[in-house]
Amino acid sequence: MGERAPLDGRPTVIFAGRLVREKGVGVLGEAFQAVVDRVPSARLVVFGEGPERRLLEQRTAELALRDAVTFAGFVARAELERAARSAWVQVVPSRWDEPFGNVAAESLMRGTPVVVSGSGGMAEFVNDGETGRHVTPGDATMLASAIATLLEDREANEAMGRNARSFALSHLGFATFADRFLTLYGSLRA
């Protein structure tokens, strides 16, 4: 997992996941209109496929966001990683309590602040205000505010990105998980 590049160019937000109601992409689309009102150059790239894609594309057109939102579809892992390295923010707006969000963990590892629903497993490892932002599931207004705030302040965004990477390297890396597993195994064996 490569480290995020220094922030440059058009402020970019990415979403990567299945295009289903539970993942909250519809809420993200509604929120992005308010993001563009605050940060006119902002863009959103949606990676993934699913049964809601056609509806999401239609709603994007209705909101006059075609110039700001791109549906990239399913892409190979390497291509997604290249795109993610230049993102200013990653968003995981799930409407349900996901037990663990790999996409959010990968974002932290890369050093990209992540905006997540403040419930479920992601809320346990994304530190609100330090490595990302928590929002109420389904709240488009709160989601828009969290995203726009991160896009408006490059310096704060970069600081949060450094915090995210530092946290991920010390808490989410393979060695940490292996040590925890061995400790747990040892205690169970005793």
Side-chain angles (χ1 to χ4, degrees):
M1 177 107 2
E3 189 171 354
R4 177 174 77 163
L7 297 180
D8 191 22
R10 191 172 176 188
T12 302
V13 176
I14 64 168
F15 168 89
R18 290 202 55 222
L19 304 185
V20 295
R21 183 180 188 284
E22 296 81 12
K23 293 291 187 178
V25 192
V27 175
L28 175 56
E30 298 295 324
F32 213 70
Q33 186 172 40
V35 171
V36 170
D37 287 344
R38 283 178 55 180
V39 184
S41 61
R43 77 178 182 134
L44 168 64
V45 182
V46 177
F47 292 96
E49 289 291 344
E52 289 200 353
R53 180 171 177 164
R54 184 176 296 145
L55 178 64
L56 293 167
E57 289 175 325
Q58 179 183 344
R59 186 66 182 139
T60 297
E62 290 168 2
L63 293 171
L65 290 174
R66 280 197 172 153
D67 292 337
V69 179
T70 301
F71 288 88
F74 177 82
V75 297
R77 177 83 181 156
E79 186 178 341
L80 176 60
E81 187 57 32
R82 273 191 302 278
R85 286 194 64 232
S86 63
W88 289 40
V89 178
Q90 180 128 6
V91 182
V92 188
S94 296
R95 298 175 65 102
W96 68 292
D97 293 345
E98 292 199 39
F100 186 83
N102 284 334
V103 171
E106 291 166 357
S107 180
L108 296 178
M109 190 62 77
R110 171 179 322 108
T112 303
V114 59
V115 177
V116 300
S117 295
S119 62
M122 291 181 292
E124 294 180 25
F125 67 86
V126 174
N127 299 315
D128 190 35
E130 294 178 29
T131 62
R133 299 298 311 189
H134 293 182
V135 297
T136 302
D139 187 333
T141 301
M142 189 177 192
L143 180 59
S145 179
I147 294 168
T149 299
L150 286 167
L151 297 181
E152 290 171 328
D153 189 340
R154 179 186 300 232
E155 194 173 300
N157 184 307
E158 288 182 333
M160 193 175 284
R162 286 189 299 273
N163 291 342
R165 182 147 171 87
S166 176
F167 174 84
L169 289 172
S170 64
H171 292 88
L172 301 175
F174 177 76
T176 301
F177 279 110
D179 288 345
R180 287 180 187 163
F181 176 79
L182 291 174
T183 299
L184 176 62
Y185 180 75
S187 68
L188 292 173
R189 192 169 157 225

